[in-house]
Amino acid sequence: MLNIDPSELNSAQPIKKQKFYQILYVQVIFAIVVGILLGHFFPHTGEAMKPLGDAFIKIVKMIIAPVIFLTVVTGIAGMTNMKKVGRVAGKSFVYFLTFSTLALLVGMLVANVIQPGSHLNIDPATLDAGKVSTYVDKAKDSSVVGFLMNIIPDTVVSPLVNGNILQVLFVSILFGVSLAMVGDKARPITNLLQELSAPVFRMVAMLMNLAPVGAFGAMAFTIGKYGISSIGSLLLLVATFYITSILFVLVVLGAVAKYNGFSIIKLVKYIKDEMWLVLGTSSSEAALPTLMQKMEKAGCEKSVVGLVIPTGYSFNLDGTNIYMTMAALFIAQAVGIDLSWGEQFSLLLVAMLSSKGAAGVTGAGFITLAATLSVVPSVPVAGMALILGIDRFMSECRALTNLVGNACATVVVARWENALDAEKLREALDGKPKAS
């Protein structure tokens, strides 16, 4: 017979509260500040920290493929209605196309109003095209045909090895649909994959402890190599881009969020850990695994999260699209080329295609810009040399805007599909998520 003190049954174990310095985003902020100081005062040492940032990004990319595969496969396999998969994908792409195009328009309109490059008066003949030749070569891979070939893997398992997000998503959807169609016979496999998810996401939590090291290395390298002073002459472009991106999030995405019953400000606060991580590493991929976890905890069904976020990382790039039209018009203004509205809309249409074609290409922001300019002869591709030095400083803002855009898209599409637990979303955004 067990001798249990009844008082022990009623006494709940106190929840151990994290100390201030143990909170991940606080550690990342501290690492970013230290990295900036080191890069500024000891630039050569700061440049030498580059392997730390690169190693962390590589570690995160190592885990992205299994996270996407397990989330998408188990989510779809649990669906009884295969039409729902098509509906979620269709609604996602309608959302992506609408707001990606709107972001391109916003960038174009702001560049016309502010005209950040009009005061530079640079002779195109003095530009060094050699500095951007590498990006132009990579841009050849971002054609629409190249994109279609890029999405189909060599084998079923090769995406899990090379980490191509689009290919992982393609194979995951096919496998998930196959499991769902097989039905009860596939239940042991589905259960195994669901059990496997627990240790994989535990691994994600372990790896995220390295985030401050990665943020420190990436920021020290950026400041050490390019220097804070390198943005001085191009400060108007950088400031314009940052302000435009912030307003896009607060006004455009804010209106979408309000219409769908949540606050964009609260959503930003909810994903603040991921945003600080992105700020430190300049890579939105660094936050992909934990963002998927958080959106599930916020009441979005796993199947929706698994489809919307990985697809959005390739097709819903609001920050990148604002940057593309703004940077293209900046270059035209800087070299004294007056583009007509017809030419500007032609540039916008090309940007719409090239932004999709560069999905999955490393360094997509700058490479997509190269792809766009290479087919718009009015603006010299060599003009990209003007912004090469500050592109790293703008990449943080691109990645942050993309991250918020994809989080917002996930909630909206989940709501459209009646796959959103409004109560869990409210509690998560209020800072009181239920333990799962």
Side-chain angles (χ1 to χ4, degrees):
M1 186 173 178
L2 297 175
N3 295 317
I4 300 176
D5 184 352
S7 63
E8 293 179 3
L9 297 174
N10 298 324
S11 60
Q13 291 292 329
I15 298 174
K16 189 176 181 182
K17 190 175 180 180
Q18 275 188 315
K19 295 180 180 178
F20 179 73
Y21 59 84
Q22 293 176 322
I23 301 173
L24 182 62
Y25 77 85
V26 172
Q27 296 175 356
V28 172
I29 294 172
F30 179 75
I32 290 172
V33 172
V34 174
I36 291 173
L37 293 175
L38 179 66
H40 181 64
F41 292 106
F42 305 96
H44 293 298
T45 305
E47 280 192 67
M49 297 297 107
K50 186 175 187 292
L52 295 178
D54 292 344
F56 177 71
I57 297 298
K58 193 171 182 180
I59 284 173
V60 172
K61 287 184 176 181
M62 171 188 76
I63 200 69
I64 283 177
V67 165
I68 293 176
F69 180 79
L70 290 170
T71 303
V72 175
V73 170
T74 56
I76 294 177
M79 290 182 174
T80 55
N81 184 2
M82 284 299 96
K83 290 182 179 179
K84 184 175 180 180
V85 179
R87 287 202 313 268
V88 172
K91 290 175 181 178
S92 299
F93 277 101
V94 168
Y95 181 98
F96 296 161
L97 182 62
T98 301
F99 288 94
S100 293
T101 303
L102 185 58
L104 289 167
L105 281 168
V106 168
M108 186 178 76
L109 292 174
V110 171
N112 276 284
V113 173
I114 305 298
Q115 297 197 346
S118 59
H119 66 287
L120 293 179
N121 300 318
I122 294 172
D123 182 359
T126 63
L127 298 173
D128 183 4
K131 290 183 178 180
V132 297
S133 59
T134 302
Y135 296 96
V136 175
D137 292 338
K138 289 182 179 179
K140 295 176 182 177
D141 298 329
S142 66
S143 64
V144 176
V145 175
F147 160 69
L148 292 174
M149 296 303 295
N150 185 47
I151 198 173
I152 303 173
D154 294 329
T155 68
V156 172
V157 296
S158 59
L160 298 176
V161 178
N162 61 34
N164 184 305
I165 291 179
L166 283 175
Q167 291 183 359
V168 173
L169 187 62
F170 180 72
V171 170
S172 301
I173 291 174
L174 287 179
F175 192 62
V177 170
S178 300
L179 287 177
M181 293 178 71
V182 170
D184 290 338
K185 290 182 180 179
R187 183 58 53 192
I189 298 176
T190 304
N191 291 340
L192 174 63
L193 294 176
Q194 288 173 341
E195 294 297 327
L196 185 59
S197 297
V200 168
F201 278 105
R202 174 59 62 184
M203 189 189 302
V204 170
M206 290 167 55
L207 295 177
M208 284 303 108
N209 291 325
L210 297 173
V213 178
F216 164 75
M219 191 58 70
F221 165 74
T222 299
I223 302 300
K225 182 173 178 62
Y226 301 109
I228 297 177
S229 60
S230 67
I231 66 173
S233 60
L234 302 171
L235 187 61
L236 182 58
L237 173 62
V238 176
T240 301
F241 177 57
Y242 269 76
I243 292 171
T244 302
S245 298
I246 292 171
L247 290 176
F248 183 86
V249 169
L250 295 179
V251 178
V252 177
L253 297 184
V256 174
K258 185 175 181 179
Y259 180 78
N260 285 276
F262 66 99
S263 165
I264 196 69
I265 300 294
K266 289 184 177 180
L267 181 63
V268 168
K269 290 180 180 178
Y270 178 61
I271 59 171
K272 64 180 179 297
D273 290 18
E274 287 69 29
M275 294 187 69
W276 280 111
L277 180 57
V278 167
L279 180 65
T281 60
S282 298
S283 171
S284 54
E285 284 187 348
L288 190 151
T290 53
L291 179 64
M292 294 178 75
Q293 281 183 295
K294 276 200 169 179
M295 298 318 295
E296 281 188 53
K297 290 180 180 178
C300 301
E301 279 188 11
K302 177 183 283 191
S303 56
V304 175
V305 172
L307 284 171
V308 176
I309 291 182
T311 311
Y313 261 63
S314 295
F315 294 99
N316 188 39
L317 306 175
D318 297 333
T320 301
N321 287 348
I322 293 171
Y323 163 84
M324 282 174 59
T325 45
M326 187 176 290
L329 292 179
F330 169 82
I331 293 170
Q333 294 163 3
V335 298
I337 296 174
D338 186 18
L339 296 177
S340 66
W341 281 107
E343 289 175 315
Q344 290 188 38
F345 278 106
S346 296
L347 188 147
L348 185 145
L349 291 173
V350 172
M352 284 175 62
L353 294 174
S354 59
S355 65
K356 305 301 179 286
V361 180
T362 304
F366 209 63
I367 293 169
T368 304
L369 179 60
T372 302
L373 295 183
S374 63
V375 294
V376 182
S378 306
V379 184
V381 178
M384 290 177 61
L386 295 173
I387 59 175
L388 184 60
I390 61 166
D391 182 72
R392 180 80 186 196
F393 295 96
M394 298 169 76
S395 66
E396 284 99 345
C397 188
R398 288 200 300 264
L400 286 169
T401 309
N402 293 342
L403 182 78
V404 176
N406 283 313
C408 181
T410 305
V411 178
V412 172
V413 174
R415 181 177 177 273
W416 288 351
E417 263 303 301
N418 294 318
L420 177 67
D421 186 328
E423 184 64 19
K424 285 182 70 175
L425 176 66
R426 184 187 63 78
E427 291 178 344
L429 298 191
D430 287 341
K432 303 172 184 177
K434 287 183 179 178
S436 56

